Amino acid sequence: MNTTSLVLKQDRRGRVRTPAARREELLAEFARSGLSGARFAAMVGVHYQTFMGWVHQQRQGTEPRLSPAADRPRFAEAVVAAPSPRHPVIIELAAGVKLELHHAGQVPLACELLKALAGPC
């Protein structure tokens, strides 16, 4: 069996190093996500204290930002034609997640999923 291993760069103390470009991507995604720092850090596999250190450094080096509530996505009700295999309804969520609905019967399931995702874990 052929397995591929991923080698992560580590410092002398064995801590995994995250490249600056990746940190910037994660911070941008966090700003769009509307999640708490703890929840986002757990989702992307970064220690909470490390992640909040990045957030703190970013905020000190930039202009004052809007309140966290202002950064959160806003939702609006949309009325669309029933989805079909040729014309699906596509819902894009944070972290690059896409939901494609190809049949009208999938709409109630998608609504339940979105409600569950909006609630606490």
Side-chain angles (χ1 to χ4, degrees), residues 99-121:
L99 217 62
E100 287 192 24
L101 309 177
H102 295 273
H103 304 286
Q106 294 173 321
V107 173
L109 295 172
C111 289
E112 289 301 315
L113 174 63
L114 294 172
K115 286 177 190 175
L117 290 173
C121 286

Side-chain angles (χ1 to χ4, degrees), residues 18 23 40 45 52 73 85 103 110:
T18 303
R23 283 195 305 267
F40 186 85
M52 291 313 293
H103 304 286

